[in-house]
Amino acid sequence: MNSSLMLRRFCCFNTSSSSSLNSCSKKKPLVFLGSPQVSTTVLDALFNASTAPDSLFQVAAIVTQPPSRRDRGKKVMPSPVAEYALDRGFSSDLIFTPEKAGEDMFLSNLKALQPELCITAAYGNILPRKFLNIPPLGTVNIHPSLLPLYRGAAPVQRALQDGVKETGVSLAFTVRALDAGPVIACERLEVDDQIKAPDLLEFLFSKGSELLIHELPSILDGSAKVKAKPQDDSKATLAPKITPEESWLYFDKEALVLHNKDGQEPELKL
C-alpha cells in the first residue's frame, strides 16, 4: 500500500451520539497542516479550544507528511503530528498524508470536507494555488519570525546565526509567494544569548499557538482579512535551509560567530 494512503485509515473524532454530531455540524470545519513535534503544540491548542462550549470551529481533518524512517532509520513511522492525533483519539479517514499537496485525489478529498479555514504550522510542503483556493476564509500560517524578516525554511536558525537580540512569531495569510502574505498579528520577544534553536523554536510555536487561539474569532468572522497588514517586501530577508557545509565550525572565526552558529540545528521544513 502506498505510504501516502496508510494514515488515511487511522482516524476520525470519536462521536458517541447524534447530539454530538449535531453540535459539531454547527461549527466551522478547520483543517490543520503540520508535521514535526513542535507542530503538536498548535494542534493541541486547537483540539482544546474546539471542545469549549462556545467554540466556533471543529478540527475536521489533519494533513501531515507521509510516514518515514525514524529512530536512525530502523522503523517507518507516522509523523509526530499523526502520532499525536492518534493518541488524542482522532480517527483514520481524516488524516491525510499526500506526498505533495497538489495531488488530485488529496485535493478532491479536501474539497469534500468543505473546510472554511486551513491552519499551517511547519507542514513542510509547498501549497499550490489549487489548494489555497479551497478554504473561503483562507490559509493561515504560524511562522517563527517577525515577518517580513527571515522568510523561508530556517528562520530560527538564521536569526540565531545573525545574533539577533529580538525575534518573534507571526500569524499571516498564506499566498503563493514564500511567507509573503498579509500579517494578522505578531508577538515580539527578546532572545537569550544562551538559547539553542530547538528550545527557541518550541517557545515560538507555543507563543504562536496562543496568538492563533486569540485571533481565531476574527479569522473565522472574516474581519482578520480586513485588518491584516501587507508586508513591506523591501524589508524582507530570507532564511534558506542550513546546508551540511554550514554545520562545520571553523575555529579561525571570531568567538561570537562560533557561539551564534553553535546554537543552530538542522532546520525544519516550514
Side-chain angles (χ1 to χ4, degrees), residues 19 31 51 56 77 112 195 231 249:
S19 61
V31 172
T51 61
L56 302 173
M77 300 177 66
I195 198 167
Q231 296 184 40
L249 295 178

Side-chain angles (χ1 to χ4, degrees), residues 93-108:
D93 292 334
L94 298 178
I95 292 183
F96 300 105
T97 60
E99 293 286 347
K100 294 183 178 180
E103 292 178 10
D104 289 339
M105 182 171 289
F106 163 65
L107 291 175
S108 177

